[in-house]
């Protein structure tokens, strides 16, 4: 083995490849494809589906999707301590939603906008009743029902534990009240249908709820700060699965499940419909006028004359706070997507939040978790550096063997292995510990990128947002300097001029590379390098005392 640095280059290249591959799969460009053949648009522009679009049903039922501009509608505005919501009386849909506790940009004093209906871009939450007698069924009407409401503004006051926003509608003998239930400090909203059959005949309805978002537009992503914008769902068989817009364009989703959920994701935030978790539901998706739709279809319900019933679902729109999401539905917390190393990222995130709870600063928490991780991995680090030092000390003997058997490669291999055995050196001793540390590196990367708790979190001095790049490039430059110092402590043994130049320029390349990374992540790497320098000095000093290491070797 010529040099452990060659292994380091391969390892870093491998890590970069994994990151690129994951980003390309999740956030890469979405090709424009034609809509599925099962979908047709009638003369009014409303979506029509084939009879099997939702799978076998008692009747061919199709929800009517809202137009961007609907006549005679009112907008009901609801304000709580954490939400600002706009509800259209046309269908009782949520057409606007802001998060009062999250700023659009750092120190902007402007609430983060999650949902909106505007020219050229829609992101709304629709829900309704279809079926033989459903007011939202395409077979019954050409437009969504127009609900009646007693007032246009509602506000959850400090002394209220619950705010109910009721909307009323009558249809074919059915008295329908659609209720939105808000509670203080909560991003989940109860959405209930209180239905009373006041006719003399059986009435059949089926509830649905879906999220509708324009496919083109609203995307702001890069390799260094990936932002997935698209669908996701969970079933009783598959707790979490992304369903991108390009997947919706290829085929309509149709999955029966008990419980389940359907969502739209956008980096730190999630919007989701959570139906009755004990009911037999069906998840579906479709494309409607350039807008992706993903939702949940509930079971068919028959109401006898005079019978009353309540259909309850939950709507969530807010930050990806894992504990809160886990309570709402199985797998919804996995929308905090740590990738294939989630089983490592989740304990690391738990430890990070635990530390932050004590120190009260996310930057200090990052420094402390770095010290803990490096301390736990110290035995591997010791093996790595000792192996690199021993291999460097063997360089003269290795060069002698290479000169002796330069024309006989078959004898060179056994001679090298005999030398390693005699000197008690493992040629892979410096590589394996590095490879074992790589999953920690990747897991922490996704923790820092995905955790909403780090969004706009200040550290100190000029670092006032750990989720954003360092505005003064101080951390990337310090990282490059620390990497240069580590190179000085481990002189090069490679003889190839190209490799030597590559290694010399690596600190500069990584400093430039890290300019676009979140400052919290660069802070972790800088502290990790500083600890590695201290560990390297300590290990080499101990080896020199035993006569096992010479920096001039």
């Amino acid at each position: 083995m010529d040099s452990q640095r060659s292994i380091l280059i391969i390892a870093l290249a491998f890590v970069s490849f994994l990151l690129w591959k994951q980003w390309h799969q999740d956030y890469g460009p979405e090709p424009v494809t034609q809509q599925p053949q099962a979908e047709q648009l009638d003369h009014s522009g409303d979506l029509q589906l084939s009879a099997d679009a939702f799978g076998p049903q008692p009747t061919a039922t199709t929800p009517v999707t809202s137009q961007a501009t609907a006549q005679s509608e009112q907008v009901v505005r609801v304000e709580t301590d954490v939400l600002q919501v706009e509800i259209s009386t046309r269908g009782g849909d949520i057409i606007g939603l802001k998060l009062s506790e999250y700023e659009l940009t750092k120190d902007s004093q402007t609430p983060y906008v999650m949902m909106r209906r505007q020219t050229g871009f829609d992101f709304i939450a629709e829900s309704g009743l279809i079926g033989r007698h459903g007011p939202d069924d395409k077979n019954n009407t050409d437009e969504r029902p127009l609900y009646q409401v007693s007032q246009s503004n509602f506000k959850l006051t400090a002394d209220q534990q619950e705010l109910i926003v009721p909307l009323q509608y009558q249809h074919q003998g059915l008295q329908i009240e659609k209720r939105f239930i808000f509670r203080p400090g909560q991003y989940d909203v109860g959405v209930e249908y209180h239905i009373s059959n006041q006719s003399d005949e059986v009435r059949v309805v089926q509830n649905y709820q879906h999220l509708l978002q324009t496919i083109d537009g609203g995307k702001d992503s890069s390799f260094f700060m990936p932002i997935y914008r698209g669908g996701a769902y969970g079933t009783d068989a598959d707790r979490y699965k992304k369903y991108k817009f390009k997947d919706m364009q290829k085929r309509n989703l149709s999955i029966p499940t008990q419980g389940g959920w359907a969502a739209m994701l956008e980096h730190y935030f999630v919007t989701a419909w959570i139906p009755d978790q004990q009911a037999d539901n069906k998840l579906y998706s479709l494309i409607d006028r350039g807008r992706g739709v993903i939702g949940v279809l509930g079971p068919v319900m028959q109401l006898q004359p005079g019978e009353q019933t309540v259909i309850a679902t939950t709507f969530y729109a807010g930050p990806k706070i894992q504990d809160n999401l886990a309570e709402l539905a199985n797998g919804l917390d996995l929308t905090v997507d740590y990738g294939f190393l989630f089983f490592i990222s989740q304990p690391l995130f738990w430890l990070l939040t635990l530390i932050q709870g004590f120190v009260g600063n996310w930057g200090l928490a990052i420094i402390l978790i770095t010290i803990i991780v490096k301390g736990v991995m110290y035995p591997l680090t010791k093996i790595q550096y000792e192996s690199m030092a021993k291999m460097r000390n063997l360089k003269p003997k290795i060069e002698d063997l290479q000169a002796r058997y330069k024309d006989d490669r078959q004898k060179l291999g056994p001679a090298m292995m005999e030398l390693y055995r005699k000197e008690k050196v493992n040629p892979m001793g410096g590589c394996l510990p590095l490879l074992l540390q790589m999953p920690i590196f990747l897991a922490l990367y996704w923790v820092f990128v995905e955790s909403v708790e780090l969004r706009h979190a200040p550290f100190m001095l000029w670092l006032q947002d750990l989720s954003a790049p360092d505005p003064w490039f101080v951390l990337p430059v310090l990282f490059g300097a620390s990497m240069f110092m580590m190179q000085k402590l481990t002189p090069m043994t490679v003889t190839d001029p190209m490799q030597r130049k590559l290694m010399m320029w690596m600190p500069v390349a990584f400093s430039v590379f890290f300019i676009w990374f979140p400052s919290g992540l660069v802070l972790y790497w800088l502290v990790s390098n500083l600890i590695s320098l201290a560990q390297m000095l300590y290990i080499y000093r101990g080896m020199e005392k035993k006569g096992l290491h010479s920096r001039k070797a």
Side-chain angles (χ1 to χ4, degrees):
M1 183 175 295
D2 193 27
S3 173
Q4 296 295 335
R5 280 189 175 78
S6 298
I7 299 173
L8 178 61
I9 294 175
I10 295 172
L12 290 173
F14 179 66
V15 169
S16 300
F17 170 74
L18 288 177
L19 293 176
W20 175 85
K21 183 178 180 182
Q22 186 72 32
W23 175 87
H24 186 74
Q25 289 177 351
D26 293 342
Y27 315 110
E30 297 171 351
V32 177
T33 59
Q34 300 210 347
Q35 295 183 5
Q37 294 298 319
E39 302 169 6
Q40 300 176 6
L41 296 177
D42 67 0
H43 63 278
S44 66
D46 287 323
L47 181 67
Q48 295 282 343
L49 295 176
S50 63
D52 61 349
F54 288 138
Q57 302 295 334
T59 58
T61 58
T62 304
V64 182
T65 54
S66 295
Q67 296 284 355
T69 56
Q71 294 181 353
S72 303
E73 72 171 338
Q74 287 181 268
V75 176
V76 179
R77 290 174 172 81
V78 184
E79 183 177 353
T80 74
D81 54 336
V82 296
L83 293 174
Q84 300 175 32
V85 182
E86 293 181 348
I87 302 171
S88 171
T89 56
R90 176 69 67 183
D93 300 326
I94 297 176
I95 60 173
L97 190 144
K98 299 178 182 179
L99 305 179
S100 305
E101 297 295 304
Y102 290 85
E103 295 177 320
L104 186 62
T105 56
K106 181 71 174 179
D107 298 326
S108 66
Q109 306 298 318
T110 302
Y112 185 84
V113 180
M114 281 204 69
M115 311 192 76
R116 56 204 179 276
R117 189 180 69 181
Q118 62 189 38
T119 303
F121 185 82
D122 289 335
F123 183 16
I124 59 180
E126 297 184 345
S127 57
L129 298 172
I130 54 176
R132 191 182 306 160
H133 305 103
D136 295 276
D137 197 297
K138 181 64 179 177
N139 294 329
N140 299 331
T141 179
D142 288 333
E143 60 181 16
R144 306 291 303 287
L146 186 63
Y147 285 87
Q148 302 298 312
V149 63
S150 60
Q151 61 191 77
S152 58
N153 289 279
F154 294 81
K155 185 172 183 178
L156 182 68
T157 59
D159 59 342
Q160 283 183 288
Q161 295 302 310
E162 184 177 85
L163 172 64
I164 298 178
V165 179
L167 292 79
Q168 281 89 26
Y169 188 72
Q170 292 186 6
H171 178 73
Q172 295 188 8
L174 292 176
Q175 181 67 40
I176 302 170
E177 181 173 279
K178 187 175 185 177
R179 295 182 181 178
F180 293 86
I181 304 171
F182 299 85
R183 297 178 178 86
Q186 295 189 10
Y187 295 95
D188 51 298
V189 179
V191 181
E192 297 179 352
Y193 281 93
H194 292 248
I195 309 172
S196 175
N197 183 6
Q198 299 179 354
S199 71
D200 296 330
E201 299 179 355
V202 174
R203 291 290 182 253
V204 179
V205 295
Q206 188 175 22
N207 70 298
Y208 78 95
Q209 45 277 328
H210 60 224
L211 300 163
L212 182 152
Q213 184 175 173
T214 301
I215 294 177
D216 297 325
K219 189 170 184 177
D220 182 17
S221 182
S222 69
F223 177 84
F224 307 103
M225 183 54 70
I227 300 176
Y228 173 79
R229 188 179 69 90
Y233 65 86
T235 68
D236 52 2
D238 195 343
R239 294 178 63 207
Y240 169 68
K241 189 173 180 63
K242 288 179 180 175
Y243 204 69
K244 308 171 189 175
F245 287 132
K246 64 181 179 182
D247 295 326
M248 298 179 193
Q249 291 172 320
K250 291 177 182 177
R251 67 182 180 90
N252 289 334
L253 186 70
S254 180
I255 302 178
T257 179
Q258 182 182 44
W261 51 270
M264 290 280 190
L265 311 182
E266 49 177 287
H267 200 185
Y268 294 119
F269 304 98
V270 58
T271 309
W273 280 107
I274 304 104
D276 183 352
Q277 294 299 285
Q278 303 304 316
D280 293 326
N281 303 304
K282 179 167 289 187
L283 305 182
Y284 64 90
S285 72
L286 50 92
I287 297 295
D288 171 29
R289 299 186 294 274
R291 302 176 296 180
V293 177
I294 187 167
V296 185
L297 186 67
V300 176
M301 303 190 68
Q302 294 186 356
L303 277 76
Q304 300 297 324
E307 184 178 1
Q308 299 180 358
T309 191
V310 177
I311 302 174
T313 60
T314 300
F315 173 74
Y316 182 92
K320 295 180 184 177
I321 300 175
Q322 296 181 55
D323 291 342
N324 295 353
L325 296 175
E327 292 178 359
L328 292 174
N330 183 29
L332 190 58
D333 57 315
L334 296 180
T335 55
V336 183
D337 194 350
Y338 292 142
F340 63 97
L341 292 173
F342 68 93
F343 57 93
I344 300 177
S345 295
Q346 287 179 340
L348 288 174
F349 174 75
W350 174 84
L351 179 60
L352 183 66
T353 54
L354 180 67
I355 296 171
Q356 195 275 338
F358 283 104
V359 300
N361 183 289
W362 285 104
L364 291 177
I366 289 173
I367 293 173
L368 291 175
I369 197 175
T370 307
I371 294 173
I372 293 173
V373 170
K374 293 295 291 184
V376 170
M377 294 194 299
Y378 176 73
L380 292 175
T381 303
K382 189 170 185 277
I383 293 172
Q384 177 186 349
Y385 291 152
E386 286 180 348
S387 178
M388 291 172 66
K390 290 177 182 179
M391 285 294 295
R392 186 164 50 253
N393 290 343
L394 281 181
K395 182 185 177 184
K397 295 182 180 181
I398 294 174
E399 290 178 344
D400 181 63
L401 287 177
Q402 289 174 338
R404 188 185 309 172
Y405 298 108
K406 63 179 181 179
D407 297 325
D408 193 344
R409 306 295 296 180
Q410 291 184 348
K411 291 184 178 180
L412 176 61
M416 295 276 285
M417 295 305 297
E418 178 63 21
L419 176 64
Y420 295 146
R421 186 190 64 79
K422 187 180 295 184
E423 298 290 339
K424 298 180 181 180
V425 173
N426 181 1
M428 297 298 293
C431 178
L432 292 177
L434 181 63
L435 294 177
L436 291 174
Q437 295 175 57
M438 284 171 55
I440 305 295
F441 161 81
L442 289 170
L444 277 171
Y445 171 86
W446 289 113
V447 167
F448 295 140
V449 167
E450 280 287 311
S451 301
V452 67
E453 289 80 359
L454 291 174
R455 182 180 186 266
H456 296 170
F459 176 33
M460 58 184 295
L461 302 176
W462 73 99
L463 294 174
Q464 294 300 310
D465 185 358
L466 291 171
S467 66
D470 184 338
W472 298 102
F473 315 131
V474 175
L475 291 182
V477 171
L478 291 177
F479 174 85
S482 67
M483 194 173 180
F484 178 77
M485 290 296 294
M486 291 178 68
Q487 283 192 347
K488 286 297 183 182
L489 284 177
T490 53
M492 294 187 208
T493 59
V494 295
T495 57
D496 181 70
M498 183 61 69
Q499 287 192 40
R500 291 180 67 88
K501 288 181 180 180
L502 179 61
M503 295 304 303
M504 288 175 60
W505 282 99
M506 275 185 65
V508 177
F510 271 82
S511 292
V512 175
F513 193 58
F514 287 169
I515 286 175
W516 291 276
F517 270 65
S519 56
L521 186 60
V522 184
L523 176 64
Y524 159 73
W525 279 327
L526 172 60
V527 175
S528 179
N529 269 10
L530 294 176
I531 297 172
S532 294
L533 278 169
Q535 290 177 340
M536 191 181 298
L537 288 170
Y538 176 76
I539 293 169
Y540 286 172
R541 188 175 294 116
M543 293 182 68
E544 287 174 355
K545 289 180 180 179
K546 297 178 182 179
L548 299 176
H549 171 60
S550 173
R551 297 182 195 177
K552 297 180 180 179

